[in-house]
Amino acid sequence: MTCIDEYIDYYNNDRIKVKLKGLAPVEYRNQALETALQKCLTLRGALQVWAVFI
């Protein structure tokens, strides 16, 4: 790995940001994606239940 590659890896995976709730950028992005997926699945389940009553 070159120095630039090492820095990019550090910047994305190891660097901790207070603005990102104390997480590294990749960790924060993964957490946000998980939350969005959970909300989507919850909404989908609610719509399926509601469709039964229509």
Side-chain angles (χ1 to χ4, degrees):
M1 279 177 97
T2 66
C3 290
I4 293 172
D5 291 333
E6 289 176 12
Y7 180 75
I8 291 171
D9 183 61
Y10 160 77
Y11 191 86
N12 289 324
N13 296 300
D14 298 326
R15 176 180 59 102
I16 303 300
K17 289 290 293 179
V18 173
K19 287 183 179 181
L20 302 180
K21 301 178 184 177
L23 300 172
V26 171
E27 293 173 322
Y28 185 81
R29 183 172 46 244
N30 289 341
Q31 184 182 60
L33 289 172
E34 281 183 33
T35 301
L37 179 60
Q38 288 173 352
K39 287 181 180 182
C40 181
L41 292 175
T42 301
L43 178 60
R44 182 178 175 197
L47 291 174
Q48 287 175 343
V49 169
W50 202 58
V52 171
F53 295 110
I54 295 178

Short mmCIF file of all heavy atoms in Angstrom, two decimals:
data_model
loop_
_atom_site.label_atom_id
_atom_site.label_comp_id
_atom_site.label_asym_id
_atom_site.label_seq_id
_atom_site.Cartn_x
_atom_site.Cartn_y
_atom_site.Cartn_z
N MET A 1 0.84 -1.19 0.00
CA MET A 1 0.00 0.00 0.00
C MET A 1 0.88 1.25 0.00
O MET A 1 1.89 1.30 0.68
CB MET A 1 -0.89 0.04 1.24
CG MET A 1 -2.14 -0.79 1.16
SD MET A 1 -3.08 -0.73 2.69
CE MET A 1 -4.27 0.51 2.31
N THR A 2 0.43 2.23 -0.71
CA THR A 2 1.14 3.50 -0.71
C THR A 2 0.68 4.34 0.48
O THR A 2 -0.32 4.02 1.14
CB THR A 2 0.88 4.28 -2.01
OG1 THR A 2 -0.51 4.66 -2.03
CG2 THR A 2 1.21 3.46 -3.23
N CYS A 3 1.39 5.39 0.74
CA CYS A 3 1.01 6.29 1.84
C CYS A 3 -0.38 6.87 1.62
O CYS A 3 -1.15 7.02 2.56
CB CYS A 3 2.03 7.41 1.96
SG CYS A 3 3.62 6.87 2.58
N ILE A 4 -0.71 7.18 0.38
CA ILE A 4 -2.03 7.74 0.08
C ILE A 4 -3.12 6.71 0.36
O ILE A 4 -4.14 7.03 0.97
CB ILE A 4 -2.09 8.24 -1.38
CG1 ILE A 4 -1.15 9.43 -1.56
CG2 ILE A 4 -3.52 8.59 -1.77
CD1 ILE A 4 -0.99 9.90 -2.98
N ASP A 5 -2.89 5.46 -0.05
CA ASP A 5 -3.87 4.40 0.22
C ASP A 5 -4.06 4.19 1.71
O ASP A 5 -5.18 4.00 2.18
CB ASP A 5 -3.43 3.08 -0.43
CG ASP A 5 -3.49 3.12 -1.94
OD1 ASP A 5 -4.30 3.89 -2.49
OD2 ASP A 5 -2.71 2.37 -2.57
N GLU A 6 -2.97 4.23 2.45
CA GLU A 6 -3.05 4.06 3.91
C GLU A 6 -3.84 5.19 4.53
O GLU A 6 -4.65 4.98 5.43
CB GLU A 6 -1.64 3.99 4.51
CG GLU A 6 -0.91 2.71 4.18
CD GLU A 6 0.50 2.70 4.71
OE1 GLU A 6 0.86 3.57 5.53
OE2 GLU A 6 1.27 1.80 4.30
N TYR A 7 -3.61 6.41 4.07
CA TYR A 7 -4.34 7.56 4.62
C TYR A 7 -5.82 7.46 4.29
O TYR A 7 -6.67 7.72 5.16
CB TYR A 7 -3.77 8.88 4.10
CG TYR A 7 -4.51 10.06 4.67
CD1 TYR A 7 -4.30 10.45 5.98
CD2 TYR A 7 -5.46 10.75 3.92
CE1 TYR A 7 -5.00 11.52 6.53
CE2 TYR A 7 -6.16 11.81 4.46
CZ TYR A 7 -5.93 12.19 5.76
OH TYR A 7 -6.62 13.23 6.30
N ILE A 8 -6.16 7.09 3.08
CA ILE A 8 -7.57 6.94 2.69
C ILE A 8 -8.24 5.88 3.55
O ILE A 8 -9.37 6.06 4.02
CB ILE A 8 -7.70 6.63 1.19
CG1 ILE A 8 -7.29 7.86 0.37
CG2 ILE A 8 -9.11 6.19 0.84
CD1 ILE A 8 -7.18 7.59 -1.12
N ASP A 9 -7.54 4.77 3.78
CA ASP A 9 -8.09 3.70 4.63
C ASP A 9 -8.31 4.22 6.05
O ASP A 9 -9.37 4.00 6.64
CB ASP A 9 -7.15 2.51 4.64
CG ASP A 9 -7.69 1.36 5.44
OD1 ASP A 9 -8.77 0.84 5.07
OD2 ASP A 9 -7.06 0.98 6.45
N TYR A 10 -7.33 4.93 6.58
CA TYR A 10 -7.47 5.52 7.92
C TYR A 10 -8.65 6.50 7.95
O TYR A 10 -9.48 6.47 8.85
CB TYR A 10 -6.18 6.26 8.32
CG TYR A 10 -6.41 7.26 9.42
CD1 TYR A 10 -6.55 6.86 10.74
CD2 TYR A 10 -6.55 8.62 9.14
CE1 TYR A 10 -6.81 7.78 11.75
CE2 TYR A 10 -6.80 9.55 10.13
CZ TYR A 10 -6.93 9.12 11.44
OH TYR A 10 -7.19 10.02 12.43
N TYR A 11 -8.72 7.35 6.95
CA TYR A 11 -9.74 8.41 6.90
C TYR A 11 -11.15 7.81 6.89
O TYR A 11 -12.06 8.31 7.54
CB TYR A 11 -9.52 9.27 5.66
CG TYR A 11 -10.34 10.53 5.65
CD1 TYR A 11 -9.89 11.68 6.28
CD2 TYR A 11 -11.58 10.58 5.00
CE1 TYR A 11 -10.64 12.84 6.27
CE2 TYR A 11 -12.33 11.74 4.99
CZ TYR A 11 -11.85 12.87 5.63
OH TYR A 11 -12.61 14.01 5.62
N ASN A 12 -11.34 6.72 6.17
CA ASN A 12 -12.66 6.12 6.05
C ASN A 12 -13.00 5.12 7.15
O ASN A 12 -14.18 4.96 7.49
CB ASN A 12 -12.80 5.42 4.70
CG ASN A 12 -12.89 6.40 3.57
OD1 ASN A 12 -13.48 7.46 3.69
ND2 ASN A 12 -12.28 6.05 2.45
N ASN A 13 -12.00 4.45 7.71
CA ASN A 13 -12.28 3.33 8.61
C ASN A 13 -11.88 3.53 10.06
O ASN A 13 -12.47 2.92 10.95
CB ASN A 13 -11.61 2.07 8.07
CG ASN A 13 -12.19 1.66 6.74
OD1 ASN A 13 -13.37 1.39 6.63
ND2 ASN A 13 -11.35 1.64 5.72
N ASP A 14 -10.87 4.34 10.32
CA ASP A 14 -10.35 4.44 11.69
C ASP A 14 -10.58 5.80 12.34
O ASP A 14 -10.62 5.89 13.56
CB ASP A 14 -8.85 4.14 11.70
CG ASP A 14 -8.56 2.72 11.23
OD1 ASP A 14 -9.37 1.83 11.49
OD2 ASP A 14 -7.53 2.52 10.56
N ARG A 15 -10.72 6.82 11.53
CA ARG A 15 -10.86 8.18 12.06
C ARG A 15 -12.21 8.32 12.78
O ARG A 15 -13.25 7.97 12.25
CB ARG A 15 -10.79 9.16 10.88
CG ARG A 15 -11.00 10.59 11.21
CD ARG A 15 -10.89 11.42 9.94
NE ARG A 15 -11.88 11.01 8.96
CZ ARG A 15 -13.00 11.66 8.70
NH1 ARG A 15 -13.27 12.77 9.34
NH2 ARG A 15 -13.84 11.22 7.79
N ILE A 16 -12.18 8.81 13.99
CA ILE A 16 -13.38 8.99 14.79
C ILE A 16 -13.82 10.45 14.68
O ILE A 16 -13.03 11.36 14.83
CB ILE A 16 -13.12 8.62 16.27
CG1 ILE A 16 -12.61 7.19 16.39
CG2 ILE A 16 -14.36 8.85 17.11
CD1 ILE A 16 -13.55 6.14 15.85
N LYS A 17 -15.11 10.65 14.43
CA LYS A 17 -15.65 12.00 14.30
C LYS A 17 -16.73 12.21 15.35
O LYS A 17 -17.64 11.41 15.48
CB LYS A 17 -16.27 12.21 12.92
CG LYS A 17 -15.31 12.31 11.78
CD LYS A 17 -14.51 13.58 11.81
CE LYS A 17 -15.39 14.77 11.56
NZ LYS A 17 -14.72 16.02 11.58
N VAL A 18 -16.63 13.32 16.08
CA VAL A 18 -17.66 13.66 17.06
C VAL A 18 -18.99 13.92 16.35
O VAL A 18 -20.05 13.52 16.82
CB VAL A 18 -17.22 14.89 17.89
CG1 VAL A 18 -18.34 15.36 18.79
CG2 VAL A 18 -15.98 14.55 18.69
N LYS A 19 -18.92 14.58 15.17
CA LYS A 19 -20.14 14.87 14.42
C LYS A 19 -20.88 13.60 13.99
O LYS A 19 -22.07 13.64 13.73
CB LYS A 19 -19.81 15.67 13.16
CG LYS A 19 -19.44 17.10 13.40
CD LYS A 19 -19.22 17.79 12.07
CE LYS A 19 -18.86 19.24 12.24
NZ LYS A 19 -18.68 19.90 10.93
N LEU A 20 -20.15 12.49 13.91
CA LEU A 20 -20.75 11.23 13.49
C LEU A 20 -21.02 10.33 14.69
O LEU A 20 -20.95 9.11 14.61
CB LEU A 20 -19.84 10.52 12.48
CG LEU A 20 -19.51 11.30 11.21
CD1 LEU A 20 -18.61 10.47 10.30
CD2 LEU A 20 -20.77 11.72 10.47
N LYS A 21 -21.33 10.95 15.81
CA LYS A 21 -21.65 10.25 17.05
C LYS A 21 -20.52 9.36 17.54
O LYS A 21 -20.73 8.27 18.05
CB LYS A 21 -22.93 9.42 16.87
CG LYS A 21 -24.14 10.26 16.48
CD LYS A 21 -25.35 9.39 16.27
CE LYS A 21 -26.51 10.25 15.80
NZ LYS A 21 -27.68 9.45 15.52
N GLY A 22 -19.28 9.81 17.32
CA GLY A 22 -18.12 9.07 17.81
C GLY A 22 -17.76 7.86 16.97
O GLY A 22 -16.99 7.01 17.41
N LEU A 23 -18.29 7.76 15.77
CA LEU A 23 -18.01 6.63 14.90
C LEU A 23 -17.11 7.04 13.75
O LEU A 23 -17.02 8.21 13.40
CB LEU A 23 -19.32 6.08 14.32
CG LEU A 23 -20.36 5.58 15.31
CD1 LEU A 23 -21.66 5.26 14.60
CD2 LEU A 23 -19.85 4.37 16.07
N ALA A 24 -16.47 6.06 13.16
CA ALA A 24 -15.72 6.29 11.93
C ALA A 24 -16.75 6.46 10.80
O ALA A 24 -17.88 5.98 10.91
CB ALA A 24 -14.80 5.11 11.63
N PRO A 25 -16.39 7.13 9.71
CA PRO A 25 -17.35 7.36 8.63
C PRO A 25 -18.02 6.09 8.10
O PRO A 25 -19.23 6.08 7.88
CB PRO A 25 -16.50 8.04 7.55
CG PRO A 25 -15.44 8.76 8.31
CD PRO A 25 -15.13 7.85 9.46
N VAL A 26 -17.27 5.03 7.92
CA VAL A 26 -17.85 3.78 7.41
C VAL A 26 -18.82 3.19 8.43
O VAL A 26 -19.91 2.73 8.07
CB VAL A 26 -16.74 2.78 7.04
CG1 VAL A 26 -17.32 1.42 6.73
CG2 VAL A 26 -15.94 3.29 5.87
N GLU A 27 -18.47 3.23 9.70
CA GLU A 27 -19.36 2.72 10.74
C GLU A 27 -20.66 3.52 10.78
O GLU A 27 -21.75 2.95 10.90
CB GLU A 27 -18.69 2.79 12.11
CG GLU A 27 -17.51 1.86 12.28
CD GLU A 27 -16.78 2.10 13.58
OE1 GLU A 27 -16.64 3.26 14.01
OE2 GLU A 27 -16.33 1.11 14.17
N TYR A 28 -20.55 4.84 10.69
CA TYR A 28 -21.73 5.70 10.72
C TYR A 28 -22.64 5.42 9.53
O TYR A 28 -23.84 5.29 9.67
CB TYR A 28 -21.31 7.17 10.73
CG TYR A 28 -22.47 8.11 10.87
CD1 TYR A 28 -23.03 8.36 12.11
CD2 TYR A 28 -23.02 8.75 9.76
CE1 TYR A 28 -24.10 9.22 12.26
CE2 TYR A 28 -24.09 9.60 9.89
CZ TYR A 28 -24.63 9.84 11.14
OH TYR A 28 -25.70 10.68 11.27
N ARG A 29 -22.05 5.28 8.34
CA ARG A 29 -22.82 5.01 7.13
C ARG A 29 -23.52 3.66 7.25
O ARG A 29 -24.71 3.54 6.93
CB ARG A 29 -21.91 5.05 5.91
CG ARG A 29 -22.64 4.87 4.61
CD ARG A 29 -21.78 5.10 3.39
NE ARG A 29 -20.48 4.47 3.47
CZ ARG A 29 -19.31 5.12 3.49
NH1 ARG A 29 -19.28 6.43 3.45
NH2 ARG A 29 -18.18 4.46 3.55
N ASN A 30 -22.82 2.65 7.75
CA ASN A 30 -23.44 1.33 7.91
C ASN A 30 -24.58 1.37 8.92
O ASN A 30 -25.62 0.74 8.72
CB ASN A 30 -22.40 0.30 8.33
CG ASN A 30 -21.45 -0.05 7.21
OD1 ASN A 30 -21.73 0.19 6.03
ND2 ASN A 30 -20.30 -0.60 7.56
N GLN A 31 -24.40 2.11 10.00
CA GLN A 31 -25.45 2.24 11.01
C GLN A 31 -26.67 2.94 10.41
O GLN A 31 -27.80 2.52 10.64
CB GLN A 31 -24.92 3.02 12.21
CG GLN A 31 -25.90 3.12 13.35
CD GLN A 31 -25.33 3.95 14.47
OE1 GLN A 31 -25.02 5.12 14.29
NE2 GLN A 31 -25.21 3.35 15.64
N ALA A 32 -26.44 3.98 9.62
CA ALA A 32 -27.55 4.70 9.00
C ALA A 32 -28.29 3.80 8.01
O ALA A 32 -29.53 3.81 7.95
CB ALA A 32 -27.04 5.95 8.29
N LEU A 33 -27.57 3.00 7.25
CA LEU A 33 -28.20 2.09 6.30
C LEU A 33 -29.02 1.02 7.02
O LEU A 33 -30.12 0.67 6.58
CB LEU A 33 -27.15 1.43 5.40
CG LEU A 33 -26.51 2.36 4.38
CD1 LEU A 33 -25.34 1.65 3.69
CD2 LEU A 33 -27.52 2.82 3.35
N GLU A 34 -28.49 0.48 8.13
CA GLU A 34 -29.23 -0.51 8.91
C GLU A 34 -30.54 0.08 9.45
O GLU A 34 -31.59 -0.56 9.40
CB GLU A 34 -28.39 -1.02 10.07
CG GLU A 34 -27.37 -2.04 9.69
CD GLU A 34 -26.61 -2.56 10.90
OE1 GLU A 34 -27.20 -2.65 12.00
OE2 GLU A 34 -25.42 -2.87 10.75
N THR A 35 -30.47 1.29 9.97
CA THR A 35 -31.65 1.95 10.51
C THR A 35 -32.69 2.18 9.42
O THR A 35 -33.88 1.91 9.62
CB THR A 35 -31.26 3.30 11.15
OG1 THR A 35 -30.32 3.04 12.19
CG2 THR A 35 -32.46 4.01 11.72
N ALA A 36 -32.25 2.63 8.26
CA ALA A 36 -33.17 2.86 7.14
C ALA A 36 -33.82 1.56 6.69
O ALA A 36 -35.02 1.50 6.42
CB ALA A 36 -32.44 3.51 5.98
N LEU A 37 -33.05 0.48 6.64
CA LEU A 37 -33.58 -0.81 6.24
C LEU A 37 -34.61 -1.32 7.25
O LEU A 37 -35.67 -1.81 6.87
CB LEU A 37 -32.45 -1.83 6.09
CG LEU A 37 -32.86 -3.24 5.69
CD1 LEU A 37 -33.59 -3.22 4.34
CD2 LEU A 37 -31.66 -4.16 5.64
N GLN A 38 -34.32 -1.16 8.52
CA GLN A 38 -35.26 -1.58 9.56
C GLN A 38 -36.57 -0.81 9.46
O GLN A 38 -37.65 -1.38 9.57
CB GLN A 38 -34.65 -1.41 10.95
CG GLN A 38 -33.57 -2.40 11.25
CD GLN A 38 -32.86 -2.11 12.56
OE1 GLN A 38 -33.08 -1.07 13.19
NE2 GLN A 38 -32.00 -3.02 12.98
N LYS A 39 -36.48 0.50 9.22
CA LYS A 39 -37.69 1.31 9.09
C LYS A 39 -38.49 0.89 7.86
O LYS A 39 -39.71 0.81 7.90
CB LYS A 39 -37.34 2.79 9.00
CG LYS A 39 -36.90 3.37 10.31
CD LYS A 39 -36.59 4.84 10.21
CE LYS A 39 -36.15 5.39 11.56
NZ LYS A 39 -35.88 6.82 11.50
N CYS A 40 -37.79 0.60 6.78
CA CYS A 40 -38.44 0.16 5.55
C CYS A 40 -39.17 -1.16 5.77
O CYS A 40 -40.32 -1.33 5.36
CB CYS A 40 -37.41 0.03 4.44
SG CYS A 40 -38.11 -0.46 2.86
N LEU A 41 -38.51 -2.11 6.43
CA LEU A 41 -39.13 -3.41 6.68
C LEU A 41 -40.31 -3.28 7.64
O LEU A 41 -41.32 -3.97 7.47
CB LEU A 41 -38.08 -4.38 7.24
CG LEU A 41 -36.98 -4.79 6.26
CD1 LEU A 41 -35.95 -5.66 6.96
CD2 LEU A 41 -37.55 -5.49 5.04
N THR A 42 -40.20 -2.40 8.63
CA THR A 42 -41.30 -2.18 9.55
C THR A 42 -42.50 -1.59 8.82
O THR A 42 -43.64 -2.03 9.01
CB THR A 42 -40.87 -1.23 10.69
OG1 THR A 42 -39.77 -1.82 11.38
CG2 THR A 42 -42.00 -0.96 11.65
N LEU A 43 -42.25 -0.62 7.95
CA LEU A 43 -43.31 -0.01 7.17
C LEU A 43 -43.95 -1.03 6.23
O LEU A 43 -45.16 -1.09 6.11
CB LEU A 43 -42.77 1.18 6.36
CG LEU A 43 -43.77 1.88 5.45
CD1 LEU A 43 -44.94 2.45 6.27
CD2 LEU A 43 -43.10 3.00 4.67
N ARG A 44 -43.11 -1.85 5.61
CA ARG A 44 -43.63 -2.88 4.70
C ARG A 44 -44.55 -3.84 5.45
O ARG A 44 -45.61 -4.20 4.98
CB ARG A 44 -42.47 -3.63 4.08
CG ARG A 44 -42.90 -4.69 3.10
CD ARG A 44 -41.72 -5.36 2.47
NE ARG A 44 -42.15 -6.45 1.63
CZ ARG A 44 -41.37 -7.40 1.21
NH1 ARG A 44 -40.10 -7.40 1.53
NH2 ARG A 44 -41.83 -8.35 0.44
N GLY A 45 -44.12 -4.25 6.65
CA GLY A 45 -44.93 -5.15 7.46
C GLY A 45 -46.25 -4.50 7.85
O GLY A 45 -47.31 -5.13 7.81
N ALA A 46 -46.21 -3.21 8.21
CA ALA A 46 -47.43 -2.50 8.58
C ALA A 46 -48.37 -2.39 7.39
O ALA A 46 -49.59 -2.54 7.54
CB ALA A 46 -47.08 -1.11 9.11
N LEU A 47 -47.82 -2.15 6.21
CA LEU A 47 -48.67 -2.06 5.02
C LEU A 47 -49.31 -3.40 4.68
O LEU A 47 -50.47 -3.45 4.26
CB LEU A 47 -47.86 -1.54 3.83
CG LEU A 47 -47.42 -0.08 3.91
CD1 LEU A 47 -46.49 0.24 2.74
CD2 LEU A 47 -48.61 0.85 3.92
N GLN A 48 -48.57 -4.48 4.88
CA GLN A 48 -49.13 -5.81 4.62
C GLN A 48 -50.27 -6.11 5.58
O GLN A 48 -51.29 -6.67 5.19
CB GLN A 48 -48.05 -6.87 4.71
CG GLN A 48 -47.09 -6.86 3.56
CD GLN A 48 -45.95 -7.83 3.74
OE1 GLN A 48 -45.69 -8.30 4.84
NE2 GLN A 48 -45.25 -8.12 2.65
N VAL A 49 -50.09 -5.75 6.84
CA VAL A 49 -51.15 -5.97 7.83
C VAL A 49 -52.37 -5.12 7.48
O VAL A 49 -53.50 -5.59 7.53
CB VAL A 49 -50.64 -5.63 9.26
CG1 VAL A 49 -51.79 -5.60 10.24
CG2 VAL A 49 -49.60 -6.65 9.68
N TRP A 50 -52.13 -3.88 7.09
CA TRP A 50 -53.23 -2.99 6.77
C TRP A 50 -53.97 -3.46 5.53
O TRP A 50 -55.19 -3.32 5.42
CB TRP A 50 -52.72 -1.56 6.58
CG TRP A 50 -53.81 -0.55 6.77
CD1 TRP A 50 -54.57 -0.39 7.88
CD2 TRP A 50 -54.24 0.39 5.81
NE1 TRP A 50 -55.47 0.62 7.67
CE2 TRP A 50 -55.29 1.11 6.40
CE3 TRP A 50 -53.86 0.71 4.53
CZ2 TRP A 50 -55.97 2.13 5.74
CZ3 TRP A 50 -54.53 1.73 3.88
CH2 TRP A 50 -55.57 2.42 4.47
N ALA A 51 -53.24 -4.03 4.58
CA ALA A 51 -53.87 -4.52 3.34
C ALA A 51 -54.86 -5.63 3.62
O ALA A 51 -55.84 -5.80 2.88
CB ALA A 51 -52.78 -5.01 2.37
N VAL A 52 -54.67 -6.37 4.69
CA VAL A 52 -55.61 -7.44 5.06
C VAL A 52 -56.98 -6.84 5.41
O VAL A 52 -58.01 -7.44 5.14
CB VAL A 52 -55.05 -8.25 6.26
CG1 VAL A 52 -56.06 -9.22 6.80
CG2 VAL A 52 -53.78 -8.97 5.83
N PHE A 53 -57.00 -5.65 6.00
CA PHE A 53 -58.25 -5.03 6.42
C PHE A 53 -58.97 -4.30 5.31
O PHE A 53 -60.09 -3.86 5.50
CB PHE A 53 -57.98 -4.06 7.59
CG PHE A 53 -57.50 -4.76 8.82
CD1 PHE A 53 -56.18 -4.63 9.25
CD2 PHE A 53 -58.35 -5.57 9.56
CE1 PHE A 53 -55.74 -5.28 10.38
CE2 PHE A 53 -57.92 -6.24 10.69
CZ PHE A 53 -56.61 -6.09 11.10
N ILE A 54 -58.35 -4.16 4.16
CA ILE A 54 -58.98 -3.42 3.06
C ILE A 54 -59.90 -4.33 2.27
O ILE A 54 -59.72 -5.42 1.99
CB ILE A 54 -57.93 -2.78 2.14
CG1 ILE A 54 -57.19 -1.72 2.93
CG2 ILE A 54 -58.55 -2.18 0.91
CD1 ILE A 54 -56.07 -1.03 2.16
#
